[in-house]
Structures are given as structure tokens and as C-alpha cells.
Amino acid sequence: MNKLFTYTLLPLLLLLSSCTKLDQEFYSQVTPETFFKSEKDILAALNRPFTHARWYLGEDRWQLQEQTADNFAITTKGPHWYNGGTNERFHYHTWTPDEGWIWGTWRGTLMGIALALDARSDLEKLDYTKFALTPEDQAAHVNQLNTLIAYFYLRGLDYFGGMPIFNNLEGENLPRNTDQEVFNHIEQLLKTAMTALPKKEGGQKEQGELKQAAAATMLAQLYFNAEAYIGKPMYAECQQLAQAIIDGQYGPYQLDPTWYGPHGFKNDGSPEIIWSIPSEFNKLQYDWFYSNFYHYNSREYFDQDMGADNGTHLSPSRRPDSSLYKNEWKLGSPFEKFDAVDLRKKPYHYLGSGNYEGMFLVGRQTKPDGGTILGTQEYKDRALALLDQVGRFSEVGAGKKYSAISQLPSKMSEGEENTGIRLVKVPIPTLAENTLRWGADNPAIRLTEVYYMLAECKWRSGDLAGAAELINTVRKRNFENGVDPNPVRADNLDKYRFLDEWSIEFLGEGRRRTDLIRWNMFTTETWWDHKASQSDHLKRFPVPTQAISGNNNLTQNPGY
């Protein structure tokens, strides 16, 4: 048997059980001491769990965070995207323990922990001096893995509450630990890592390594959401850490001077990136969202060759009659939450040489040369315009289902191919500059989040002016010459404005559900085609049926 066993068979074993005991003779012939021949082998083992993290940051985890909240939807578009009712169940908060997104997230969380533990076990056994490396290098590698383990547990705690805690791969059919025990485990891992990881050096590009500031920010995130996790507010602890990170105690980080710097093709050099997952065309590329987000013919808009499935879009800001949703609810309507002169609100256009503007596909869709892009379904051979509305406009007219637009229902089942504005947070070049495609790294943690965490902690302690100042420090980069037409002030920063600011800055970054839960609005508020459930058990997802069937020591979350 060789080391490949761990990396190929382990994920399969983890499908069957929460934590599965590996063959006890696994190391009888090949041990870490004999398998590792060079520094290259060490780095390969270290990086393997990070490739899993690359996948984990998107896909099902993103769906659970965004499709259950107020900013995105996957409407049924005629014969397309009913998806067995999955999209509606998550939008309406009627999911079950049998959902694929939930199973994929439970499984993926434990896989990530197991892969990192396995790599840590190997690297801890090595004599690094035999590879011209130092004990400090070994400590940095081991604590990168400890931080990654803490990251997976942090996400598992957020989604499910208590998870099985294991420190090696010897356990089998482990029960769930309590929320508090998982919280304490994460805290201990991160506190240890913060003292052993290296700091970022000035001007150093981000290449995916976890450094002191990443561990510190994860610990701040843990404290920031502690009230939701363990019923104990820890905003003061979060505030202290966030301030220290901003002050540079964990490395030199600064806000990027531009809104697109943290997301663009060269974002590995952005001064505000604290942890990113590297991406490169045809090499572990950051592209999972493309097919799901864009229209079948969006390739013509981007001047690209990639097809798409026309699924996810922004929740609508307008009724079918074009009037704004203003009085029905305060959440959602993400596109209209951007000020009209916000530089990000422009339609996305690639300008060449790695430059671009805007971050939305909205309105009439045209090719870079100005040519018209046509629809393929309801608007076949007709000009395609993406609307900030949901409704079957193609069924309005003489002899059709509806005689007037005023009769159109607007709900999850009533989309069509032009339904919804599409987000372009990750820039896409034209084919002429295709070497840049997927050149933007995935910014897993950026300093702006620390600013907003600090601002919210100040707000909760009564320092509304201090909170407003921090948010405005970020906001000004989104406007020409830094002139903000609607700055945050102490007298307009209520809980809804604060959630709007989180939405505007982090739209589509896979965190919205967590923010709504922290503000106690996930189950108590209404938004487009979603009624408040008033059911607190929905703040946690159920333990998947497949997990319980493979491990009868697992207990289900209350309410399921």
C-alpha cells in the first residue's frame, strides 16, 4: 500500500461514517519517515487539505448560505430549474434531512478535518532538518493545518452545531460533541496557532498560506457569532481582536484603495487579503459559480466560449409592474440597496489588459461590439434583457394567460429566462485575453470583514459614531473621488441599515445566512416570496439522514 491510499480511499470511507477507523496496518510497510523524500513531498502533503478547502468554500456551502437568505434565488424558469423542489424548499425554509446540499456540507466538513489531521499526523513525525528545513518551518506547517481544522469546525458549528471532535483517524462512529465543546476546541486550536504561525511580511503576496492574521480573524469570527453558537455574547472579545488586527499586531494589512482590488485578476497582491485560495486557469480554478449564475448566451456578453445553465440570480427589487418593493419588507432587494452612483452598480464590462468596471449583468444584453444578444427560450430570436423582476412576462397579451402585467404573480415558480440580475464578483476576460481567465483568487478572508466586525461590535456597545466611521472608511472607495452620497451616520445606522451594509459589501460572498442569524432576522423577517417562519430550530440545519444511517451514535438536531 502507498500513501495514495489516504488521499483516494479516505473520502469514500468518510461517506459511510462520521469518522472511520483506517486499516491498522496502513503504516506497516510505508511510514512518513520513508515516504517523504524531499521538501516537495512535504509541501504536497501540506497542500492537499487546502485543495479540499478550495472546493469547500463554494458549491453546496454557498447554496446553504445564500439560497436560504434574502439576496439570491433560483426561480423555476418555465421547464427549467424546478430541481425537484430543492430551490423552493431552501427559499421557503422547508428543507429536510435528505437534502443533497446539507449532506454534501456535513460530509465535506468532516472530510476537510480528516484530511488535515492525516497530513498533520505525518508532518509531526518528520525530522525537518533532514530536508534542510527548520523546527520553525515544521511548527508553521503543523499550525497551518491546525488553523484549517479550526476553520472546518467553525463552519460545521455554524451549519449544524455540535460535530464529532476527533484528533486522529482512529475513532469510529463517534457521537456529536456539544456546541460548547466544539466552540472550545476551535478556540484552543486558534489560540495555539496564533503564537506559532508566521506573520505576513510587508509587500508579500498571498499564496494561500494561513498566517497569524488568518487565525486571529477566525477567532474573532468565532467570538463575533458566539451568541448564536453557544448563547453567550462575546462582542467585547471580538472587538479587542478586530482592533488588534487592524492595528497590525498580526501583520501589515490595509484596505485596498479600490473596490475591485480584492476581487480582481491580481488580487493576490491586494493589501487587504488575509487568506485567499489560489486560482489559475486549468489549475484548481475558482470557477464553480459560472455555470449556475449566467444565462445560456452570457458567453456572448463576455466574448467567451463557456456555456452556462441560467440558474441563480439576485432576488428582485421590483414588482412585475416595475414599482419598487418598499413597504412590504426591509430585507432583500439587493440591487436597489446600491446607490445609483456606486461604481459597482454599473453593468460589468471588460476593458482589456486586466481592467474592468461594474459587477452586474443587467438590462439589455449586448456583445462587446454592440451586437444584440438573443434569448433562447421564452425570448428566442428576440433581444435579451435581464430584469430586476420575477414574472412570466412572455405570457401577457391578447389570447395569453394574463391580459395585463398587473395580473402577474411574482414568486419562485414564475421565472423565465430573463429573470433576475446576475452578479459578476469574479471578473471574466474576453477570449482574446484568455490567459487571465480564473486568474482571480478566492478571497476567503479580507480586512474589510474585520472593519465591519469591529463596527458592529462598537454599534452593539453603543458607539454608533465609531461604527459609522469604520463603515464609511470602506464605503468611500466605491464612489468617484470618494464622494459618498449616502454615508452612514449615527442617526441612520439602525439594524436594517447595518444589515444592508453587510449585504452591499459582501454580496455573493457566501455569508448572508450567518449575518441574518446573528441579527436574529433569519427566521423572524419576511423578504421576497418568503414569509417569516418564527421557528428557531431552522437556524441549524439537520444532521443528514445519510450521516445518521451510517453512524447510529449521531443524534438529530431539535425540530427535525
Side-chain angles (χ1 to χ4, degrees):
M1 298 173 71
N2 58 45
K3 192 63 183 174
L4 187 63
F5 175 92
T6 298
Y7 300 140
T8 57
L9 186 55
L10 176 60
L12 178 60
L13 293 173
L14 284 167
L15 293 179
L16 305 177
S17 172
S18 297
C19 183
T20 303
K21 193 173 182 179
L22 294 177
D23 184 348
Q24 292 302 298
E25 296 182 357
F26 172 63
Y27 289 123
S28 62
Q29 298 178 36
V30 178
T31 67
E33 293 84 351
T34 59
F35 176 80
F36 289 91
K37 301 296 185 183
S38 66
E39 180 183 359
K40 182 179 178 181
D41 295 330
I42 291 175
L43 294 178
L46 174 66
N47 290 333
R48 173 63 185 91
F50 284 88
T51 65
H52 182 78
R54 178 203 67 83
W55 164 80
Y56 186 88
L57 260 64
E59 306 281 350
D60 295 348
R61 273 60 53 204
W62 191 94
Q63 307 289 9
L64 292 185
Q65 284 281 32
E66 301 289 1
Q67 303 297 354
T68 61
D70 59 326
N71 283 339
F72 290 88
I74 305 177
T75 52
T76 299
K77 302 172 183 66
H80 305 288
W81 278 107
Y82 177 66
N83 199 20
T86 296
N87 308 322
E88 293 186 7
R89 287 195 298 276
F90 281 97
H91 190 83
Y92 297 144
H93 290 191
T94 58
W95 53 76
T96 74
D98 299 318
E99 308 290 353
W101 293 347
I102 294 174
W103 167 233
T105 297
W106 175 275
R107 178 187 60 184
T109 301
L110 292 173
M111 270 190 199
I113 294 165
L115 287 168
L117 280 171
D118 186 57
R120 187 184 74 179
S121 175
D122 285 353
L123 298 187
E124 285 177 330
K125 294 181 176 74
L126 298 178
D127 179 356
Y128 265 49
T129 61
K130 293 182 178 180
F131 304 92
L133 297 171
T134 67
E136 290 76 21
D137 293 326
Q138 186 173 30
H141 290 172
V142 167
N143 280 286
Q144 279 200 68
L145 293 167
N146 282 334
T147 304
L148 191 60
I149 291 165
Y151 168 77
F152 285 119
Y153 270 120
L154 178 59
R155 301 315 307 147
L157 178 64
D158 187 273
Y159 289 122
F160 301 105
M163 302 283 287
I165 294 177
F166 50 106
N167 289 297
N168 54 59
L169 302 184
E170 300 301 313
E172 187 172 7
N173 291 333
L174 297 176
R176 298 174 68 187
N177 289 79
T178 66
D179 301 350
Q180 184 69 61
E181 288 168 341
V182 174
F183 185 98
N184 294 344
H185 185 58
I186 298 166
E187 184 180 40
Q188 182 271 321
L189 286 169
L190 293 173
K191 283 185 173 180
T192 301
M194 284 165 57
T195 64
L197 287 171
K199 292 181 181 179
K200 173 185 175 180
E201 298 177 5
Q204 186 178 18
K205 289 188 175 183
E206 289 300 319
Q207 300 295 332
E209 303 96 337
L210 287 162
K211 299 186 174 68
Q212 275 192 21
T217 304
M218 289 182 199
L219 186 58
Q221 292 169 339
L222 180 70
Y223 293 153
F224 192 46
N225 294 288
E227 188 170 14
Y229 295 160
I230 58 172
K232 177 184 176 183
M234 299 185 71
Y235 296 107
E237 291 85 346
C238 176
Q239 180 170 339
Q240 183 178 5
L241 261 177
Q243 188 67 65
I245 295 165
I246 291 171
D247 290 344
Q249 293 185 28
Y250 299 99
Y253 299 89
Q254 296 178 330
L255 292 175
D256 199 290
T258 67
W259 70 264
Y260 52 82
H263 309 287
F265 296 105
K266 298 180 180 179
N267 62 345
D268 59 339
S270 173
E272 80 170 56
I273 299 296
I274 292 175
W275 179 39
S276 63
I277 302 295
S279 174
E280 188 176 353
F281 188 25
N282 287 332
K283 295 180 181 179
L284 298 176
Q285 57 198 29
Y286 173 33
D287 67 346
W288 70 268
F289 52 85
Y290 180 92
S291 177
N292 185 259
F293 279 23
Y294 302 124
H295 184 271
Y296 314 112
N297 282 344
S298 288
R299 63 181 182 275
E300 297 179 21
Y301 186 95
F302 295 125
D303 189 21
Q304 270 290 349
D305 60 0
M306 300 174 288
D309 299 328
N310 200 25
T312 295
H313 54 80
L314 299 190
S315 297
S317 303
R318 297 177 180 272
R319 302 179 186 87
D321 66 6
S322 295
S323 61
L324 289 170
Y325 291 117
K326 283 187 175 181
N327 301 320
E328 290 89 338
W329 47 78
K330 293 186 177 181
L331 297 181
S333 301
F335 187 68
E336 285 299 324
K337 295 292 173 64
F338 288 81
D339 289 286
V341 293
D342 192 316
L343 296 171
R344 297 167 295 182
K345 199 173 185 179
K346 294 181 179 181
Y348 174 83
H349 286 114
Y350 184 68
L351 305 176
S353 301
N355 300 307
Y356 64 97
E357 65 179 9
M359 65 178 200
F360 296 102
L361 300 190
V362 54
R364 185 172 179 268
Q365 299 294 282
T366 59
K367 302 174 186 179
D369 63 5
T372 299
I373 296 174
L374 304 178
T376 64
Q377 306 292 323
E378 293 91 349
Y379 298 91
K380 182 175 174 60
D381 300 327
R382 296 164 59 188
L384 178 68
L386 298 178
L387 307 179
D388 194 13
Q389 300 157 275
V390 174
R392 298 284 298 169
F393 295 92
S394 61
E395 296 180 354
V396 176
K400 295 186 177 182
K401 186 174 181 179
Y402 304 102
S403 60
I405 286 176
S406 60
Q407 298 175 350
L408 281 180
S410 184
K411 56 184 180 179
M412 287 289 289
S413 62
E414 299 298 314
E416 52 186 12
E417 69 170 307
N418 66 349
T419 291
I421 293 171
R422 315 304 167 91
L423 177 67
V424 190
K425 200 98 184 212
V426 182
I428 298 168
T430 60
L431 273 173
E433 298 186 36
N434 214 34
T435 54
L436 289 175
R437 193 158 105 188
W438 314 129
D441 295 343
N442 187 345
I445 302 175
R446 51 194 184 96
L447 187 65
T448 304
E449 179 182 1
V450 182
Y451 269 74
Y452 276 47
M453 285 196 292
L454 179 57
E456 187 174 321
C457 291
K458 285 179 176 287
W459 187 93
R460 291 177 182 274
S461 69
D463 184 5
L464 275 64
E469 181 180 3
L470 286 162
I471 295 173
N472 289 332
T473 299
V474 176
R475 277 182 59 93
K476 65 183 181 182
R477 70 184 179 188
N478 303 313
F479 303 94
E480 197 73 43
N481 300 318
V483 180
D484 184 350
N486 184 28
V488 175
R489 306 184 308 273
D491 63 350
N492 69 10
L493 188 55
D494 64 5
K495 62 182 182 179
Y496 292 105
R497 176 68 188 261
F498 219 125
L499 267 173
D500 285 349
E501 293 303 324
W502 276 110
S503 172
I504 292 166
E505 177 61 31
F506 293 92
L507 184 65
E509 295 189 41
R511 61 171 300 127
R512 186 60 171 172
R513 167 189 159 274
T514 300
D515 291 332
L516 292 179
I517 290 174
R518 189 178 61 257
W519 283 94
N520 196 30
M521 294 193 196
F522 186 63
T523 59
T524 61
E525 293 283 326
T526 293
W527 51 84
W528 175 78
D529 199 28
H530 172 91
K531 301 296 183 184
S533 67
Q534 307 295 344
S535 300
D536 279 353
H537 77 278
L538 295 170
K539 294 177 182 178
R540 298 276 171 83
F541 290 110
V543 179
T545 299
Q546 286 175 270
I548 292 176
S549 65
N551 178 359
N552 57 16
N553 288 322
L554 293 176
T555 57
Q556 184 55 272
N557 278 330
Y560 293 104

